[in-house]
Amino acid sequence: MSYLDELNESQRIAVENINGPTMVIAGAGSGKTRVLTYRIAHMMEKNVDPFNIMALTFTNKAAKEMTERIGQIVGSSEAKNITMGTFHSVFSRILRFNADRLGYPTNFTIYDTQDSKSLLKEIIKGFSLDEKAYKPGNVLGRISSAKNNLISPEDYETNGNIQEEDRRAKRPEMARVYRSYAKRCFNAGAMDFDDLLYQTNVLLRDFPEVLHHYQQKFKYILVDEYQDTNFSQYLIVKKLAAVFENICVVGDDAQSIYSFRGANIQNILNFKKDYPDFKLFKLEQNYRSTNNIVQAANGVIAKNKDQIKKTVWTDNVEGEKIHVVRSLTDNEEGKVIINKIYDRHKSEGLEFDQFAILYRTNRQSRTFEETLRKLNIPYKIYGGLSFYQRKEIKDLLAYFRLTANPNDNEAFKRVINYPKRGIGTTSLQKVIIAANHYGVSFWEVVNDFNQYPVDINNGTKNKMIEFATMIKSFSAQLNQLDANILAHEIAKTSGILKELHTDKDKGPEEVERYQNVEELISAIQSFVSNQEEGQSKSLSEFMLDVALLTDADADKGEDKNHVTLMTIHSSKGLEFSNVFLVGLEENLFPSQLALNSRTELEEERRLFYVAVTRAEKTCTLSYSNSRFQWGNLITCEASRFIEEIDSKYLHFETAKRAGGKSLNDRSNSFDRPFTGGLNKSFTSKSLKPINEVNSKSNIKGSATLDVKVGYNVEHDRFGKGKIIKLEGRDADKKATIFFPGHGAKTVLLRFAKLKVLDY
């Protein structure tokens, strides 16, 4: 059977039309990756040279899987000749090949976010700027935005609008910080992630012969997830495709959710303006989800005005209705959802890896984690500290980085005194000051104290020189030994292995650190073993792979049978049998920060669409009537996105204690059909507070609802205070209370458990 026979009609047409500008709009679960993969295979079947194909993805994992699938059709040897990978990995290799044109070393370092923040913190401190106004994370975000819009430090400094924005943000020295940051990176022979795209644009702009070379080389260009590209990525692709215009972009405007990273939905919406004679193909059959889930998601996304119209449909079963669960509080929400998972695991025999809990913000994970731990249910939070961000791993990687690029200032700072060799912070600071004064790297100062004098004692100087000599010995072997042998040599000679081996007797955390380094060495050994004949097995090549890992690529092969917890942004591209979408309340989802314009609200709606369409079999929407925020209990309203789903696709439940038993009692039944308003379209106004008729049963003490302004009361957490304002009625009655030492707090009376002291 031909690989083309595995495709439906829409997919096949998109695969077979390989020439000219093409846009494939792929609805959720419509087989987008298969189309992209088979299209490349079909090109090669039609005698397109794989060396002339460039395919850009957003994760290395996706690129690897596509290469393997193409190899199964046309042969693995030929498939490896395709230039395939993430934007950053593909263009970092182009930059390494042309680094000298831009004044960078071939083995330039790639700074991660932690490196960049460390450098910015040093710059901000050196300029004596207010660290609250110039928070490294915010400053890095500002610089990142500038680079993604191809704004150089010089352009930034002379742009009146930008300068006015910085003045309003009380960061008038931003241009100076940006300029210093760029210079310090350059002196260290380092690029950050944004530089990999920014400098590629500079390369193609300033060196026409380089642009011409790659235009002729990449006659066919394919871009996955085109809706997630930023201006910098868009411009690179547009330049490279300008000669042959054999460009195919694949994506879904309904899943554009990364504007905070600089992604511009207009890139996909305006594709027809760039290429008026383009061909449009729509993949509208969903193979992932049940019909109820597909239709519910369609109903919501249809509310967006800025979109490419399509009708997603499925031949899958009707499936269960989407469950809507309402809880009293956010803490109760955690218990209800986790108990549902536990009950289905026991009653239906479902494995834990079939469940995912998705939320708008990372901070929402706490209540779910607490119950998961109490019930001893395995879980994993994605988006936490990755393997390559652990301290012991970054320490050893810093030695590897210095070996490849001794001018790497951040790596130098990290390990100059690790393991301890008697080089103090004060001495290091003097080296840093001298380096900045002379405009050179820290390495250059340590290697020539005569040319760059530093006021430190001879004993410390000798220790620094000994350190530099050790690094030089590693560098001399960089191209002589494979990565595995050299990594062992560095780990041993640097003293890191001895340090961790000595510590591992101290406790489980120390043992884990030692095991993590063992895991890193194993990863290097695997890298060397998997490199093909003719491919580099050097430590530099391994470091390039590590530097370009994305969050989605981090998979250490651990036990997969766990409940998954992650933000909706992290879930894009994934699928789960059963999805719980939690915290669906106004001002949380949609976020209060995204209600200033239609553009922002529509992105929140696309985020909701992405969340719902992760589900294959069941989807549960959950919200609570109240939630603690900054120490205050606030009343919540159901998200407008629940309202936007036709009620015929929904089943309403109420999380309710049965017989007064604890929610942690797994024998309880928490679900109760919600009967109000089912004959009409669902609105949040129809959701009455739980047990509204008997609301006083929720109050501790009959006096609580009868309090008045001026009463002195006592709160469990804030102590004694005086009521200064009352608002609302019955179960929604709220009091604003002034607590000495804590200020004014607004509490919901039915939960506050106030003790009336006097009248």
Side-chain angles (χ1 to χ4, degrees), residues 712-748:
N712 292 311
V713 295
E714 186 171 1
H715 187 274
D716 287 347
R717 179 176 179 184
F718 302 116
K720 297 177 181 179
K722 177 173 285 190
I723 297 176
I724 58 176
K725 182 181 179 182
L726 289 170
E727 54 188 327
R729 297 177 57 189
D730 299 326
D732 290 328
K733 195 170 185 179
K734 292 184 289 187
T736 301
I737 307 169
F738 180 80
F739 296 99
H742 296 283
K745 304 289 182 184
T746 301
V747 298
L748 198 62

Side-chain angles (χ1 to χ4, degrees), residues 27-28 283-286 294-295 298 310-314 609:
L283 308 181
E284 298 173 303
Q285 183 175 359
N286 181 301
V294 169
Q295 296 307 326
N298 283 349
K310 59 183 173 298
T311 305
V312 178
W313 59 278
T314 185
Y609 176 82

Side-chain angles (χ1 to χ4, degrees), residues 22-64:
T22 304
M23 181 162 67
V24 180
I25 295 298
S30 63
K32 166 181 68 70
T33 303
R34 171 174 287 193
V35 167
L36 196 57
T37 302
Y38 284 15
R39 183 182 172 90
I40 295 172
H42 192 65
M43 287 179 183
M44 295 170 67
E45 289 279 294
K46 294 297 181 181
N47 297 318
V48 174
D49 191 332
F51 284 100
N52 294 143
I53 300 173
M54 178 172 68
L56 300 169
T57 66
F58 272 79
T59 68
N60 295 300
K61 184 178 179 181
K64 183 179 179 181

Side-chain angles (χ1 to χ4, degrees), residues 488-526:
H488 270 99
E489 173 69 15
I490 293 172
K492 181 180 178 182
T493 306
S494 66
I496 283 185
L497 278 184
K498 181 180 179 181
E499 177 91 359
L500 292 174
H501 192 272
T502 302
D503 285 347
K504 76 173 186 175
D505 294 330
K506 295 179 181 177
E509 291 184 2
E510 286 73 16
V511 171
E512 184 180 3
R513 283 198 285 270
Y514 186 81
Q515 291 173 339
N516 284 337
V517 169
E518 284 185 324
E519 179 67 27
L520 175 60
I521 299 297
S522 296
I524 297 172
Q525 187 174 13
S526 176

Side-chain angles (χ1 to χ4, degrees), residues 23 54 140 145 183 187 201 229 261 340 351 379 410 434 438 448-449 482 546 568 616 636 740 743 752:
M23 181 162 67
M54 178 172 68
L140 181 60
S145 179
K183 183 180 179 182
N187 288 343
N201 271 292
T229 54
R261 293 183 188 169
K340 279 181 170 293
E351 296 293 339
Y379 69 95
E410 292 306 306
Y438 291 107
D448 196 344
F449 283 119
D482 70 35
V546 169
I568 304 166
E616 297 173 332
C636 303

Side-chain angles (χ1 to χ4, degrees), residues 477-701:
Q477 302 174 83
L478 187 62
N479 297 316
Q480 309 300 321
L481 302 178
D482 70 35
N484 186 38
I485 297 173
L486 183 54
H488 270 99
E489 173 69 15
I490 293 172
K492 181 180 178 182
T493 306
S494 66
I496 283 185
L497 278 184
K498 181 180 179 181
E499 177 91 359
L500 292 174
H501 192 272
T502 302
D503 285 347
K504 76 173 186 175
D505 294 330
K506 295 179 181 177
E509 291 184 2
E510 286 73 16
V511 171
E512 184 180 3
R513 283 198 285 270
Y514 186 81
Q515 291 173 339
N516 284 337
V517 169
E518 284 185 324
E519 179 67 27
L520 175 60
I521 299 297
S522 296
I524 297 172
Q525 187 174 13
S526 176
F527 161 80
V528 171
S529 300
N530 291 330
Q531 289 295 88
E532 299 288 332
E533 189 68 33
Q535 290 184 312
S536 173
K537 298 182 180 182
S538 72
L539 193 58
S540 296
E541 191 68 19
F542 172 78
M543 290 301 294
L544 177 58
D545 282 356
V546 169
L548 296 168
L549 281 175
T550 66
D551 292 341
D553 299 319
D555 183 0
K556 300 306 297 175
E558 72 279 0
D559 179 18
K560 300 293 195 302
N561 189 25
H562 51 245
V563 176
T564 295
L565 282 74
M566 60 170 57
T567 64
I568 304 166
H569 282 101
S570 299
S571 75
K572 189 168 174 295
L574 303 177
E575 55 189 36
F576 305 92
S577 294
N578 308 283
V579 167
F580 292 87
L581 179 53
V582 300
L584 273 168
E585 297 136 29
E586 284 292 299
N587 297 325
L588 181 54
F589 193 18
S591 167
Q592 187 174 19
L593 301 175
L595 300 177
N596 298 315
S597 68
R598 177 176 296 279
T599 299
E600 293 172 337
L601 178 59
E602 290 200 350
E603 175 148 338
E604 288 288 292
R605 188 175 285 115
R606 292 194 295 269
L607 190 60
F608 180 81
Y609 176 82
V610 166
V612 172
T613 55
R614 298 313 92 199
E616 297 173 332
K617 296 178 181 177
T618 70
C619 181
T620 300
L621 310 179
S622 170
Y623 73 99
S624 59
N625 279 8
S626 60
R627 181 175 297 273
F628 270 103
Q629 194 172 73
W630 304 110
N632 294 324
L633 191 67
I634 61 170
T635 303
C636 303
E637 178 185 354
S639 170
R640 69 188 70 192
F641 298 144
I642 303 178
E643 296 183 32
E644 292 175 356
I645 301 175
D646 192 318
S647 61
K648 68 183 179 182
Y649 300 118
L650 300 174
H651 170 69
F652 299 95
E653 302 176 2
T654 300
K656 182 182 179 183
R657 290 176 174 83
K661 295 181 181 179
S662 165
L663 277 166
N664 283 326
D665 184 343
R666 292 191 289 272
S667 64
N668 286 348
S669 170
F670 304 112
D671 303 337
R672 170 176 172 272
F674 176 77
T675 56
L678 286 181
N679 295 327
K680 301 179 182 179
S681 62
F682 169 64
T683 67
S684 59
K685 294 181 179 62
S686 71
L687 293 176
K688 304 299 181 186
I690 300 170
N691 297 333
E692 185 177 81
V693 176
N694 299 312
S695 59
K696 286 190 178 181
S697 65
N698 291 323
I699 309 299
K700 298 291 183 181

